[in-house]
Amino acid sequence: MIAVNEAFDRVMNTSPDFGKEVVPLQESAGRVLRQQVLADRDLPPFNRVCMDGIAIDSRSFLQGKRKFYRQGFLGAGEAPPGQATGPDACMEVMTGSVLPPGTDAVIPYEQLEALSEEDGTWYQLKASIFPEAGQHIHSQGSDAAKGSVLLEEGVRITSPVIAVLASAGVSMVKVSRMPRVSIVCSGDELVPVSEEPLPEQIRQSNGYAISALLRSYGVSCRIHYVRDHPGQIGALLRELKEGPDDCLISTGGVSAGRKDLIPGLLKETKGSVLFHKVAQRPGKPLLFGCWENGKVFFGLPGNPVSCMAACCRYVIPWILEGLKGKQAASLHARLSEPVNFSPKLTCFLPVRLVCDDGGMLRAYPLRGQGSGDLVSMQLAEGFIELPAEKELFSEGEAYRVWPLDGSLILP
Ligand SMILES: Nc1nc2c(c(=O)[nH]1)N[C@H]1C(S)=C(S)[C@@H](COP(=O)(O)OP(=O)(O)OC[C@H]3O[C@@H](n4cnc5c(N)ncnc54)[C@H](O)[C@@H]3O)O[C@H]1N2
Ligand code: MOO
């Protein structure tokens, strides 16, 4: 049996890299960017008017002028006029238009009186208004200069990132390829959800739970069922090993029972066991291995809580590593109550997370009937990791939380 950190290092030492692919911009949300993006033009690309109103030369105002003749109109998307605005004149401008030549300040309509006179429209500044050069103008290149780096490789494509990509003209985006994953659910007692179980049977739930967790990170999975039959499991493993998956995740069949066939079958299919059994609760019988073709195998324990804890603690970090995103910030929370855990094992407690009035994230342990009790898990948002070296964990102490949903903590 090895310690949690050692098991984690062995998982990460397989150094997954799922490679890159190119996808249309609209499909890139949530993915990891795998190209550097430079500004193909200044941003903003011109001196951009920020308010609807008029543009004037502020020097005319400094010389005592407060009334300006409307020389013309310039809307967003219209090319500016060739001639400069005269000292007595103004241009009526719209938010998003180019600052007309000869002007350096924009005055919003709310600060103006419009006067219709025989020779046209004039705008007069209201009494309390004192415009300054540069006001209400978003200067060319002030956000980013042409050629500068807008986005670095490894960022996750969120809604603001996609806006930057769009502005830079990136219609096809290089992103990390998502891993292909198969889940193998083994157990003679399992029946599909749509079937009525016999009294000695249960409905299969782990496959869905794993798949939902992975989906929250954008990974979709195929779910397979097998009975506790060596021939059946072996055949499926051999088939999947040669198939397109990067990773296989099994649930059940890894502890000490006569029908716990997974570790033996991993070896039989020429897989190497990198570890089996970790000093943790729940999830002690966890198995991890790989085949010579680079595919990895997570043998998660069958008990539902153990299965989810191992998935959060090992499978998800392995996937994030392979996506080559910038390192995820780790999530920590303070225990809402003292916890006593005396076995010399790392403890993963399912917790509900609540941000208190002081802005502090608190972890509320959800106590159930042990690792088989999936009903008590329903409010859980993650597992808090309590180190093996301690027995008493006081209220208010902060520990790492491994989230049960990707949206809680993505890089
Ligand atoms: N003699 C020992 N017995 C057990 C040990 C041990 O060290 N020595 N470890 C215990 C621990 S800890 C765990 S965790 C479980 C893990 O067992 P397996 O991974 O072999 O899983 P199974 O025996 O196949 O199933 C355990 C439990 O989970 C239910 N299950 C399995 N698959 C699913 C599924 N897809 N959906 C819902 N529920 C599932 C299964 O019916 C069992 O009740 O072993 C202990 N025993
Ligand atoms: O570790 Mo098992 O996961 O105790 O139930």
Side-chain angles (χ1 to χ4, degrees):
M1 192 156 69
I2 59 170
V4 165
N5 287 340
E6 173 62 25
F8 184 74
D9 288 347
R10 291 189 197 181
V11 168
M12 299 312 252
N13 282 343
T14 58
S15 306
D17 183 348
F18 308 134
K20 304 172 189 177
E21 65 180 355
V22 174
V23 296
L25 180 62
Q26 215 179 335
E27 285 166 30
S28 69
R31 306 288 292 270
V32 174
L33 181 69
R34 293 298 289 278
Q35 65 180 91
Q36 195 184 51
V37 176
L38 304 181
D40 66 331
R41 59 205 298 231
D42 285 339
L43 287 176
F46 47 82
N47 288 322
R48 186 180 72 92
V49 169
C50 302
M51 296 290 255
D52 304 316
I54 61 167
I56 62 160
D57 181 347
S58 63
R59 284 171 308 181
S60 306
F61 165 76
L62 290 175
Q63 284 157 14
K65 210 162 281 304
R66 299 189 63 82
K67 194 174 157 192
F68 299 88
Y69 174 68
R70 182 188 181 280
Q71 184 176 310
F73 172 89
L74 192 61
E78 290 180 3
Q83 88 274 28
T85 308
D88 287 341
C90 69
M91 283 290 284
E92 193 174 0
V93 287
M94 299 293 105
T95 304
S97 61
V98 177
L99 186 72
T103 68
D104 67 357
V106 171
I107 305 157
Y109 286 128
E110 293 84 336
Q111 299 178 356
L112 300 168
E113 319 267 13
L115 314 166
S116 273
E117 297 187 0
E118 273 169 26
D119 55 351
T121 302
W122 294 73
Y123 283 103
Q124 174 149 344
L125 307 190
K126 286 185 180 168
S128 58
I129 301 308
F130 302 95
E132 284 177 7
Q135 73 172 35
H136 303 309
I137 296 162
H138 189 184
S139 308
Q140 175 170 351
S142 61
D143 297 351
K146 178 177 177 175
S148 63
V149 176
L150 291 178
L151 295 168
E152 290 288 6
E153 214 173 306
V155 299
R156 199 168 76 89
I157 303 177
T158 56
S159 140
V161 169
I162 221 167
V164 176
L165 287 167
S167 300
V170 186
S171 60
M172 296 299 287
V173 194
K174 198 179 277 182
V175 295
S176 295
R177 178 176 70 76
M178 295 310 281
R180 288 178 281 259
V181 177
S182 268
I183 303 172
V184 176
C185 302
S186 69
D188 288 339
E189 74 282 26
L190 305 177
V191 297
V193 176
S194 52
E195 270 178 34
E196 195 58 43
L198 297 170
E200 61 278 15
Q201 294 178 320
I202 61 160
R203 295 189 179 98
Q204 189 288 115
S205 62
N206 288 348
Y208 295 103
I210 298 169
S211 163
L213 175 55
L214 266 60
R215 188 177 285 267
S216 75
Y217 287 87
V219 179
S220 41
C221 316
R222 292 184 296 158
I223 303 181
H224 313 260
Y225 296 93
V226 266
R227 297 185 70 80
D228 289 322
H229 184 281
Q232 244 188 55
I233 305 177
L236 180 63
L237 291 192
R238 268 185 282 276
E239 180 197 321
L240 296 178
K241 177 189 152 186
E242 301 306 332
D245 296 311
D246 301 282
C247 161
L248 262 62
I249 304 173
S250 70
T251 91
V254 289
S255 61
R258 282 181 193 281
K259 292 200 166 181
D260 292 337
L261 305 166
I262 299 284
L265 285 167
L266 175 61
K267 289 182 204 149
E268 222 182 278
T269 54
K270 299 199 171 57
S272 317
V273 172
L274 297 176
F275 63 80
H276 185 196
K277 296 194 175 73
V278 182
Q280 60 189 10
R281 184 178 294 165
K284 195 173 78 177
L286 176 67
L287 170 76
F288 180 66
C290 64
W291 284 287
E292 69 288 353
N293 61 9
K295 300 188 184 205
V296 306
F297 183 92
F298 290 92
L300 308 184
N303 275 328
V305 183
S306 320
C307 165
M308 293 314 293
C311 203
C312 292
R313 181 64 174 90
Y314 303 97
V315 181
I316 296 298
W318 182 85
I319 288 175
L320 293 178
E321 179 66 23
L323 290 172
K324 300 290 163 217
K326 285 195 171 145
Q327 197 56 44
S330 55
L331 182 66
H332 288 76
R334 294 185 184 276
L335 279 172
S336 67
E337 58 184 79
V339 174
N340 192 351
F341 184 79
S342 51
K344 290 276 167 278
L345 301 170
T346 300
C347 171
F348 293 105
L349 265 189
V351 289
R352 197 162 62 89
L353 297 172
V354 177
C355 196
D356 70 15
D357 294 348
M360 195 72 77
L361 197 60
R362 296 215 166 253
Y364 287 77
L366 297 162
R367 298 194 194 280
Q369 312 301 315
S371 58
D373 177 4
L374 51 82
V375 178
S376 67
M377 274 280 291
Q378 60 187 284
L379 292 178
E381 280 146 331
F383 289 90
I384 196 163
E385 178 170 337
L386 306 177
E389 299 74 46
K390 275 179 72 163
E391 279 185 22
L392 261 177
F393 303 89
S394 308
E395 186 209 324
E397 285 177 4
Y399 294 100
R400 181 138 190 199
V401 174
W402 299 89
L404 270 160
D405 189 304
S407 59
L408 273 173
I409 182 161
L410 275 168

